[in-house]
Amino acid sequence: MRDKILIAGNDAIAEAGIRAGCRSYFGYPITPQNELLEYMSAHMPKAGGVFVQAESEIGAINMCYGASAAGARTMTSSSGPGMSLKLEGISYLAGSDLPCVIVNVARGGPGLGNIAPGQGDYFQATKGGGHGDYRMIVLAPATIPEATELTMLAFDLADKYRTPVLVLVDGVLGQMMEPVEFRDPVDPATLPPKPWALTGAQGRPPNIVTSFFLDPQELSELNLKRQDRYRRIVTQEVRYEEFETGDATIVIAAYGTVARIARTTVKLARNEGIKLGLLRPITLWPFPYAPLRALSNRVKVILTVEMSAGQMLEDVRLAVAERAETPFYGEMGGIVPTPRGILMEVKKYASYDAEDDQGF
Amino acid sequence: MPVMTQKMTKVFERPRSLADIEFTYCPGCHHGLITRIIAQVIDELGIQERTVVVGPVGCSVFVYQWFRCDGIQSAHGRACAVATGIKRVNPDLIVFTYQGDGDLAAIGTAESIHAANRGENITVIFINNQIYGMTGGQMAPTTLIGQWATSCPDGRDAGLAGYPIRFSEMVAQLDAPVYVTRQSLYDQKRIMATSRAIKKAFQYQVECKGYSLVEILANCPTSWHMTPTQANKHIADVVTSVFPLGDLVDRG
């Protein structure tokens, strides 16, 4: 029987990283993720691992690039402004096919924004951000237990597909506490070997880690191979959760903290006889287009709710096309929507629920 | 072919650690010479099978190809951070960066200074040729006052672009570095001194003594618009008056 402990999101994600067999962490302080870095500074050395407080987020991500190239499971974390700095390194990680786990405890933006929770980094996380044709798996937990599960999964996916993986949470999930039952730790010695890693050219030709290929044909072929790998990820790694969608006529699409709040809205709405459901993408890339498409064939409204001006909304609309209405409700600046606030938005479309379709 | 009956003794050969690939450098450039010296040192210390080359962006962007060692390419300026990551997770590896003046002393200033300040047990080879060679001859942070470059067509003006950065002096005032030296290659004596300096820097890393920086005043005949001979004379007569040669720190 494993113990349940009460732990804050930032600490829990750090602990999950160590339990995933990660023995190197490089970071730079930024609110609201500081506790993650502090937890690593205390616990990584105890686990026999490496902790370095870097000179900047650029330094940190490039230390990860080096550590990953040397074959180690490695991790960094930041928040909005720091994530912007890491994008250069993320492009190089992707371009060199290196695994790495990155955590963004997102805050209000753009610019320095504020330190309250936000979801305005969705485009940056899912559409590239850095230069070149690359993708990054993006995992968006809605609870702290799930954040620990997904952080451990992130390391497996990063190694399996040799790609950076982002765990995207926000200030709420980073700061709040919940009871967590951790999975058993992974012994780094039991992880599969990485024959491509820089371990010294002993008894083999030199290994080279690079994203630099002057020959257009060669670079094109490498990109095509990488795109094949991305297609495999799209086929195999989509994760999402549906809640009360079976008989729903209105469905909320939301992720992370907002999805958690929207769950309460679903219960409130159902108490009032509104057939509301929730679709929660767990992977933001690859995005659950197919389940949304399926839903859009039988519901009338898919309401996207985000702590942004409407970023995931674009993916929802790609999935739904014209098959259902796709309104949006968003809050910015670090304002967190309430269950009743979302319910008020839902009620605007509740008339669409009428049998005779008069609402349209 | 006449049959050799006498026993031959090999007195000179290509270092084993130097790959048999043609350099991409211009004729007369010092990069090739420095690469060969490093390969020789790797051979002499017997560390080829545990050395990792961390490459920069610039003329030496392909540096990892010239060695029979594992190698990695870095984003522009980030080599010291990349080297930190490699060395920290596998301290048995011998990790060196090879960086030009733009990479180390302009875009990579933060990464370079802080790796030195943490005393990372790595070796940094810093090629200071006072110009951006690969991009076509623009001003470097080390470009001399009055020196012509494509982005300072009237010569470097201190009022507009500041003064040549003495990066080694900056690093030398930190507490952590064990060895900081500035060398050159303009004559045979200086080439031998550079070889000894590079060997010492690697030796200190092998002995886990800490961070070393070997700055080498190199030429760029192409962008300086000089012959290699003129370029060597320019280094001896002019460049060394701005960047004095010698050890700045030796705590080994």
Side-chain angles (χ1 to χ4, degrees):
Chain A
M1 186 70 190
R2 278 171 292 187
D3 289 338
K4 231 177 202 185
I5 57 164
L6 189 66
I7 188 167
N10 282 333
D11 293 346
I13 291 170
E15 175 62 26
I18 294 172
R19 281 172 184 255
C22 172
R23 291 295 179 272
S24 63
Y25 171 91
F26 307 92
Y28 186 83
I30 183 170
T31 309
Q33 67 85 52
N34 294 314
E35 298 81 5
L36 206 167
L37 171 137
E38 288 164 353
Y39 190 98
M40 285 300 196
S41 73
H43 294 268
M44 194 53 105
K46 283 185 208 160
V50 170
F51 168 86
V52 178
Q53 181 172 326
E55 60 276 9
S56 69
E57 288 88 348
I58 299 174
I61 193 75
N62 281 285
M63 289 173 196
C64 286
Y65 175 82
S68 177
R73 282 197 159 179
T74 191
M75 181 178 186
T76 186
S77 60
S78 194
S79 185
M83 284 305 300
S84 294
L85 291 176
K86 286 189 195 296
L87 289 176
E88 174 195 83
I90 291 172
S91 172
Y92 277 76
L93 284 161
S96 305
D97 300 318
L98 290 177
C100 180
V101 172
I102 303 140
V103 182
N104 180 2
V105 187
R107 55 189 250 177
L112 200 52
N114 62 22
I115 57 172
Q119 293 186 324
D121 297 352
Y122 181 93
F123 285 156
Q124 186 198 59
T126 61
K127 307 297 179 191
H131 56 286
D133 281 307
Y134 77 89
R135 289 293 194 171
M136 177 163 59
I137 296 174
V138 182
L139 305 173
T143 69
I144 296 170
E146 189 185 28
T148 66
E149 288 295 321
L150 292 183
T151 299
M152 293 183 78
L153 173 70
F155 283 95
D156 292 338
L157 294 177
D159 280 351
K160 181 177 178 188
Y161 295 104
R162 289 183 62 181
T163 176
V165 177
L166 181 75
V167 178
L168 180 62
V169 293
D170 58 53
V172 171
L173 283 164
Q175 298 292 322
M176 68 185 280
M177 295 179 93
E178 271 190 280
V180 173
E181 199 177 298
F182 281 99
R183 265 206 279 152
D184 289 334
V186 173
D187 178 358
T190 62
L191 294 169
K194 295 173 177 173
W196 46 264
L198 309 179
T199 53
Q202 195 169 10
R204 60 157 171 78
N207 281 345
I208 301 295
V209 171
T210 184
S211 57
F212 187 52
F213 302 92
L214 278 180
D215 175 18
Q217 195 58 38
E218 192 180 9
L219 185 57
S220 164
E221 279 162 19
L222 282 164
N223 268 287
L224 288 169
K225 272 173 74 177
R226 194 169 297 122
Q227 293 299 325
D228 276 344
R229 192 148 27 96
Y230 291 158
R231 271 188 285 279
R232 274 211 318 280
I233 294 172
V234 168
T235 315
Q236 294 171 15
E237 304 299 345
V238 171
R239 287 169 170 81
Y240 64 99
E241 181 196 22
E242 290 191 39
F243 177 62
E244 301 278 11
T245 53
D247 64 341
T249 49
I250 304 180
V251 167
I252 293 173
Y255 71 94
T257 292
V258 178
R260 183 187 183 127
I261 296 164
R263 250 181 120 85
T264 308
T265 305
V266 170
K267 290 174 193 162
L268 294 173
R270 292 212 165 242
N271 286 341
E272 297 187 23
I274 301 167
K275 289 176 183 169
L276 182 65
L278 169 70
L279 187 137
R280 177 173 75 91
I282 296 171
T283 50
L284 300 183
W285 192 86
F287 189 78
Y289 291 108
L292 263 167
R293 199 175 301 125
L295 269 181
S296 69
N297 286 323
R298 56 184 175 85
V299 306
K300 298 185 177 142
V301 180
I302 296 180
L303 170 68
T304 304
V305 185
E306 294 177 70
M307 291 190 284
S308 80
Q311 299 195 8
M312 185 179 78
L313 175 64
E314 294 192 1
D315 282 322
V316 171
R317 285 183 173 159
L318 263 178
V320 173
E322 304 294 321
R323 286 180 290 267
E325 295 288 307
T326 51
F328 174 70
Y329 167 50
E331 295 285 359
M332 286 182 284
I335 293 171
V336 181
T338 62
R340 294 211 170 270
I342 299 173
L343 182 62
M344 279 171 65
E345 287 297 317
V346 168
K347 283 181 175 174
K348 288 183 188 171
Y349 310 100
S351 59
Y352 291 18
D353 202 9
E355 293 288 322
D356 58 3
D357 276 5
Q358 287 304 307
F360 292 101
Chain B
M1 292 284 288
V3 179
M4 296 301 226
T5 50
Q6 254 185 319
K7 192 162 164 57
M8 303 287 281
T9 310
K10 214 175 225 180
V11 292
F12 189 82
E13 62 181 328
R14 167 191 292 276
R16 285 190 315 281
S17 301
L18 191 64
D20 192 6
I21 299 173
E22 215 172 287
F23 286 138
T24 49
Y25 300 123
C26 302
C29 170
H30 280 158
H31 270 301
L33 181 52
I34 301 163
T35 306
R36 191 198 186 285
I37 292 170
I38 296 169
Q40 184 87 44
V41 165
I42 291 171
D43 282 4
E44 286 170 10
L45 296 175
I47 53 172
Q48 180 203 342
E49 292 182 334
R50 59 188 187 112
T51 295
V52 175
V53 187
V54 182
V57 171
C59 289
S60 47
V61 67
F62 281 122
V63 68
Y64 50 80
Q65 292 189 353
W66 316 142
F67 296 93
R68 292 186 207 276
C69 299
D70 281 1
I72 182 167
Q73 189 263 326
S74 312
H76 197 16
R78 319 299 177 216
C80 283
V82 175
T84 298
I86 297 168
K87 186 73 180 186
R88 290 281 186 128
V89 301
N90 190 348
D92 292 336
L93 295 173
I94 300 300
V95 183
F96 78 94
T97 72
Y98 186 105
Q99 301 172 262
D101 37 53
D103 200 85
L104 184 103
I107 194 167
T109 308
E111 290 78 9
S112 305
I113 287 280
H114 285 279
N117 192 46
R118 288 189 303 266
E120 298 295 341
N121 188 27
I122 59 172
T123 305
V124 176
I125 307 293
F126 167 30
I127 316 303
N128 175 1
N129 63 3
Q130 306 103 55
I131 201 87
Y132 281 29
M134 190 179 74
T135 45
Q138 296 83 6
M139 185 183 70
T142 48
T143 294
L144 307 184
I145 297 300
Q147 183 184 337
W148 181 88
T150 59
S151 57
C152 51
D154 298 324
R156 183 175 187 163
D157 176 350
L160 291 172
Y163 294 85
I165 279 185
R166 295 187 187 92
F167 196 85
S168 291
E169 279 80 351
M170 287 167 64
V171 168
Q173 56 82 39
L174 301 171
D175 292 332
V178 292
Y179 184 45
V180 181
T181 186
R182 183 181 289 117
Q183 303 290 332
S184 72
L185 304 160
Y186 63 77
D187 63 19
Q188 190 54 35
K189 189 179 153 201
R190 300 304 184 292
I191 292 171
M192 297 310 288
T194 299
S195 303
R196 285 193 297 274
I198 291 175
K199 188 167 184 180
K200 183 188 272 191
F202 275 88
Q203 183 67 43
Y204 282 174
Q205 185 180 167
V206 170
E207 293 166 2
C208 297
K209 285 184 171 161
Y211 173 95
S212 291
L213 170 68
V214 181
E215 174 178 345
I216 301 162
L217 300 180
N219 66 3
C220 183
T222 302
S223 289
W224 291 0
H225 301 284
M226 293 181 191
T227 66
T229 312
Q230 288 168 333
N232 276 346
K233 190 170 171 359
H234 172 70
I235 293 172
D237 297 347
V238 181
V239 180
T240 53
S241 66
V242 180
F243 296 106
L245 298 177
D247 291 351
L248 288 101
V249 171
D250 189 350
R251 299 188 180 103

